[in-house]
Amino acid sequence: MHVTGAHTYWLEHAWLGTGTEAGVLVEVAGGRITGVRTGVPAPPPGAEALRGLTLPGLANAHSHAFHRALRGTVQVGSGTFWTWRETMYDVAGKLTPDSYFTLARAVYAEMALAGITAVGEFHYLHHAPGGILYADPNAMGEALAAAAAEAGVRITLLDTAYLSAGFGQPPEAPQLRFSDGDADAWATRCSVLKEQDHLRIGAAIHSVRAVPADQLATVARWAEERRAQLHVHLSEQTAENDACLAAHGRTPTRLLADHGVLGPRTTGVHNTHLTDDDITLIGDSGTGTCMCPTTERDLADGTGPAPALQRAGSPLCLGSDSHAVIDLLEEARAMELNERLRTRTRGHWTAAALLRAASADGHAALGWADAGTLTTGALADFTTLALDSVRTAGTRPELGAETAVFAATAADVRHTVVGGRQIVRDGAHTLVPDVPHALARAVAALHA
């Protein structure tokens, strides 16, 4: 990742974690914040002015980049998660390392335009059709890493073990591209991946149905030895819970716990259909929870027990998952509003808590614990929202968190800075020209 020299930004308004301040001077060197000064009424000479409301960069903790090609097409008719999956398999079957790079570069550029500075890519599309290895067995993952670099965002590549079609079932034809055969072969391939300035390497278990129980510990041990993040789709569907109970006599959460998967570097994605005992296991182990409300409602998955999980000790973060939309502010808003609908009461989280889930806590879940705050020493990653759009006009700047979460959308992002470098300026991406055209071209190629 390009590292900037010394630079100074003057923020008209900035959310600093506990409140919003007017006139904040942020000094940057070597890609990090070296100083934060409040009460600066006007930009000093040489400072770049970012007018509006500046927030820490947002972290998209759960992404499947190629699902962006499904937007719109999977909304025809009704269907279920399982019929949606067939369309997803069709798109996955057409991707090559080159076309995946082209698509992901545009998707990550869309994320930057939405104020996202780091993404957790839950990556299971590993091999050529039929499961044949590319000459470089990590060609698809390296395409994603290169795409993120060119789009100017940080990435945690959560290389995913996906070995079976279900409990005791070998991979079906579309899943052969996902499977390494067994967890040892998965670990051997992953061990070749190298981190870069913009890239962290993590691990993922696709789900308890996709990794045999006797191989879960292999993935967990690989992550533990490297102190790497470990993510897992958990209890997204009631059908998965029922199948796990039939196969193992226990819930998916208990199965993961029994094989050493849960822990403070682990994040369960969705965590939707949990028992009280499941919630206790997740909370007591410090396992995180990544909620993806726009995808969960798009697929009619249900609303997970996020407040109970947080009370039990599970840190919350957010992801756009299938990219029905890419808008972390909407994900934050939806988590609160979904809970209001479920309980018919308001105020389950403060706006500040929701912003932390979308920024600092998301970065921590992706292994970027030094990002997601506007503080000295943190990575210089931040994003600025317009306060004069039709959505935000008339709001009170001192209520910055409330404005961001309950009024603004990704369309209000005006600037995004990563490592001190301005990736988005005045609503335009500085590295990827004409992002809408790039997306349209990449998606059209997969539907041709």
Side-chain angles (χ1 to χ4, degrees):
M1 174 168 285
H2 175 81
V3 177
T4 64
H7 200 82
T8 302
Y9 290 95
W10 178 81
L11 316 179
E12 185 180 24
H13 303 279
W15 182 70
L16 300 181
T18 56
T20 303
E21 297 279 350
V24 177
L25 202 67
V26 174
E27 297 172 332
V28 174
R32 292 186 178 271
I33 297 173
T34 56
V36 178
R37 185 151 52 97
T38 59
V40 182
E48 182 155 2
L50 302 183
R51 297 194 180 275
L53 170 66
T54 297
L55 312 171
L58 306 177
N60 189 353
H62 189 66
S63 162
H64 303 291
F66 76 90
H67 290 192
R68 174 61 178 80
L70 304 175
R71 189 182 295 178
T73 63
V74 289
Q75 312 306 331
V76 177
S78 54
T80 67
F81 168 86
W82 307 102
T83 55
W84 169 91
R85 192 173 70 157
E86 294 306 312
T87 306
M88 179 269 286
Y89 285 161
D90 182 61
V91 170
K94 297 176 180 177
L95 285 162
T96 67
D98 287 343
S99 63
Y100 205 5
F101 166 81
T102 300
L103 175 63
R105 179 175 178 261
V107 174
Y108 296 150
E110 181 183 358
M111 290 185 193
L113 289 169
I116 293 163
T117 56
V119 56
E121 184 61 40
F122 200 100
H123 167 55
Y124 56 82
L125 183 53
H126 301 306
H127 306 303
I132 298 169
L133 271 63
Y134 289 107
D136 174 359
N138 287 302
M140 295 295 266
E142 288 169 356
L144 291 166
E150 291 211 8
V153 300
R154 303 184 195 278
I155 183 172
T156 297
L157 187 68
L158 298 160
D159 197 291
T160 305
Y162 192 138
L163 307 173
S164 60
F167 297 96
Q169 301 174 24
E172 298 172 354
Q175 298 161 339
L176 293 173
R177 297 195 70 176
F178 310 159
S179 178
D180 289 292
D182 60 35
D184 288 329
W186 167 86
T188 298
R189 178 180 55 75
C190 291
S191 296
V192 179
L193 291 164
K194 303 298 183 186
E195 294 192 343
Q196 303 171 41
D197 286 345
H198 79 295
L199 170 67
R200 297 278 184 274
I201 303 299
I205 292 165
H206 180 273
S207 56
V208 293
R209 70 176 186 274
V211 176
D214 62 358
Q215 298 182 56
L216 292 170
T218 299
V219 183
R221 184 166 56 251
W222 187 94
E224 176 64 26
E225 288 172 352
R226 290 159 180 78
R227 314 297 288 175
Q229 305 305 117
L230 174 61
H231 288 215
V232 54
H233 289 137
L234 179 56
S235 288
E236 181 178 5
Q237 295 285 325
T238 55
E240 176 184 286
N241 287 2
D242 294 343
C244 188
L245 286 165
H248 297 291
R250 66 200 81 178
T251 67
T253 301
R254 172 58 72 180
L255 186 67
L256 293 175
D258 289 349
H259 289 275
V261 175
L262 302 186
R265 282 193 308 281
T266 300
T267 297
V269 181
H270 305 303
N271 292 2
T272 307
H273 303 286
L274 303 177
T275 67
D276 289 344
D277 287 344
D278 291 340
I279 293 170
T280 299
L281 283 170
I282 291 167
D284 285 353
S285 63
T287 299
T289 295
C290 180
M291 305 299 288
C292 305
T294 64
T295 291
E296 289 151 5
R297 68 193 186 198
D298 181 53
L299 296 178
D301 286 342
T303 300
L309 283 160
Q310 189 166 54
R311 286 193 299 270
S314 179
L316 300 180
C317 59
L318 297 163
S320 65
D321 193 358
S322 68
H323 313 313
V325 297
I326 293 177
D327 187 340
L328 262 287
L329 301 175
E330 170 62 22
E331 304 294 346
R333 175 165 54 245
M335 190 162 69
E336 168 66 23
L337 298 186
N338 284 355
E339 196 61 22
R340 291 182 186 185
L341 285 174
R342 191 181 70 82
T343 63
R344 291 181 289 173
T345 60
R346 302 177 78 201
H348 301 276
W349 294 276
T350 64
L354 293 167
L355 275 186
R356 282 193 293 273
S359 54
D361 293 344
H363 281 96
L366 296 178
W368 299 93
D370 51 353
T373 62
L374 294 175
T375 55
T376 300
L379 291 168
D381 300 354
F382 40 91
T383 188
T384 304
L385 305 178
L387 291 177
D388 57 359
S389 76
V390 292
R391 289 163 294 277
T392 60
T395 57
R396 292 160 53 189
E398 65 270 21
L399 298 177
E402 289 76 11
T403 296
V405 173
F406 293 107
T409 74
D412 296 311
V413 171
R414 290 295 172 266
H415 313 291
T416 300
V417 174
V418 182
R421 178 173 62 156
Q422 202 159 358
I423 302 302
V424 174
R425 179 180 290 112
D426 297 323
H429 204 288
T430 63
L431 304 177
V432 181
D434 196 353
V435 176
H437 180 69
L439 284 163
R441 187 173 62 245
V443 171
L446 297 175
H447 293 295

